[in-house]
Amino acid sequence: FQANIASPNSDNVNDDLWIIVNELIDDLTMDTIFSCHMEAKMGLLMLDEELATLAQTELSPVSTQRQQQQQQSAPICRCPNCHRRLAASRLAPHLEKCMGMGRLASRRRPLQQCFGASDAAAAAELAAIEDSKGPLLPRKRRRCRRNSSPPPPQSSVGRRRTAGS
Amino acid sequence: MELDEKRARVRAQVNQRLIQSGERERLKELLRTRLNECGWREKLKQHCKEIVRQKGLEQITVDDLVAEITPKGRALVPDEVKKELLQRIKSFLAQTTADEK
């Protein structure tokens, strides 16, 4: 080995050592290539550019103007119950449902009890679903039990038949 | 041809010494540190993005990137860094031969 490594300044040895230096550089280059290839296939390679473009779009003068216009036309306030942001004109109807008060909210109470929606935000969501798609549960007739009269007899439909009957 | 074979053998011996002593890992770590300082990886990544845009995300292969990026990787390394590595290898070899004597 010592005989093969001639003087450190010989051109041949320098060339060989340069090859070793380039191999070290190539190792790190391959690491970068593999990670970039993986990021490209996972859709992450251009992610930082896309996020930067998105951030610029949100902060652009046009979008801030639009936000200001929206704010000026309808003041936004926050529901004290569910902390959702609403237009001021919608706050009262929302509170009616959200806090379980009012004429319409009382009809939905059985629905909330059935689905266990004690959470005000979930109850408001259920109310919104029912508004768009109609009642989720069939509406039952109200039984007025002011008098202490016995309940009406049950119908035979759906009653279990015992053996021998 | 004979000289080339001899040089290849010498290179293999040098590499073996570097690997066995752990010096090759230390050199690689030094190179990684120096290249991080000069932003080499970010520049190389930008080139990778260009190649991916040209070839297309679905069609790009590792071989495409290797063919295009490897020469760029060598060219982007500052000369001072390459010289520092070369000097480190020479010092290591000199130290090794001195120890053997």
Side-chain angles (χ1 to χ4, degrees):
Chain A
F1 179 72
Q2 293 169 22
N4 290 332
I5 303 293
S7 77
N9 295 323
S10 70
D11 289 342
N12 285 340
V13 172
N14 261 348
D15 290 345
D16 292 336
L17 296 185
W18 275 123
I19 291 173
I20 293 174
V21 168
N22 282 332
E23 283 174 1
L24 287 168
I25 295 169
D26 289 347
D27 276 358
L28 293 189
T29 305
M30 287 303 294
D31 290 348
T32 307
I33 286 173
F34 282 135
S35 76
C36 285
H37 181 262
M38 186 180 71
E39 285 177 22
K41 292 299 179 182
M42 292 172 68
L44 302 174
L45 189 64
M46 313 292 185
L47 190 63
D48 49 353
E49 290 177 4
E50 289 170 6
L51 286 174
T53 310
L54 197 65
Q56 274 187 350
T57 312
E58 285 181 359
L59 292 172
S60 71
V62 175
S63 65
T64 49
Q65 273 179 12
R66 209 172 283 159
Q67 283 175 7
Q68 283 171 6
Q69 281 171 6
Q70 281 174 358
Q71 281 179 356
Q72 283 167 8
S73 61
I76 305 292
C77 48
R78 205 174 277 274
C79 170
N81 201 31
C82 66
H83 305 288
R84 197 184 285 183
R85 292 182 71 191
L86 301 156
S89 56
R90 293 296 309 157
L91 181 62
H94 167 78
L95 279 176
E96 211 177 1
K97 299 169 198 168
C98 186
M99 299 180 81
M101 298 172 185
R103 184 170 53 89
L104 298 175
S106 61
R107 283 191 202 166
R108 295 190 179 95
R109 233 172 259 136
L111 175 69
Q112 293 169 11
Q113 285 165 5
C114 283
F115 283 88
S118 57
D119 179 27
E125 265 184 311
L126 287 168
I129 292 169
E130 203 179 33
D131 275 339
S132 60
K133 294 184 179 176
L136 296 172
L137 287 181
R139 296 203 185 270
K140 290 183 181 176
R141 283 186 192 173
R142 283 186 183 178
R143 289 181 188 171
C144 192
R145 290 190 182 180
R146 287 181 190 171
N147 303 326
S148 60
S149 58
Q154 291 179 2
S155 66
S156 62
V157 174
R159 195 191 286 175
R160 270 192 195 171
R161 290 186 181 180
T162 55
S165 62
Chain B
M1 189 66 75
E2 204 174 301
L3 185 62
D4 289 341
E5 283 177 8
K6 188 179 175 186
R7 285 178 63 186
R9 261 185 274 124
V10 168
R11 257 200 323 274
Q13 284 180 350
V14 170
N15 262 325
Q16 192 181 8
R17 293 261 171 154
L18 288 171
I19 292 168
Q20 281 176 350
S21 63
E23 184 66 15
R24 195 172 194 278
E25 276 308 308
R26 286 189 285 271
L27 288 168
K28 209 168 155 183
E29 205 49 48
L30 171 68
L31 179 61
R32 193 177 279 122
T33 306
R34 291 288 180 262
L35 294 181
N36 280 342
E37 289 166 3
C38 66
W40 172 87
R41 196 172 191 276
E42 283 67 33
K43 291 175 197 167
L44 213 60
K45 203 171 169 181
Q46 284 301 321
H47 284 295
C48 285
K49 287 182 184 177
E50 286 300 319
I51 304 297
V52 168
R53 280 194 201 104
Q54 286 171 19
K55 302 267 182 182
L57 197 58
E58 299 295 326
Q59 287 78 27
I60 193 71
T61 63
V62 173
D63 290 338
D64 293 334
L65 289 172
V66 168
E68 301 276 349
I69 300 296
T70 304
K72 285 246 168 49
R74 289 187 187 183
L76 286 171
V77 176
D79 288 339
E80 301 79 40
V81 175
K82 291 181 187 175
K83 285 175 186 170
E84 186 181 357
L85 280 179
L86 188 70
Q87 197 51 52
R88 277 281 293 256
I89 296 173
K90 284 182 179 176
S91 305
F92 169 77
L93 291 174
Q95 183 69 39
T96 307
T97 52
D99 289 345
E100 284 180 358
K101 281 177 184 172

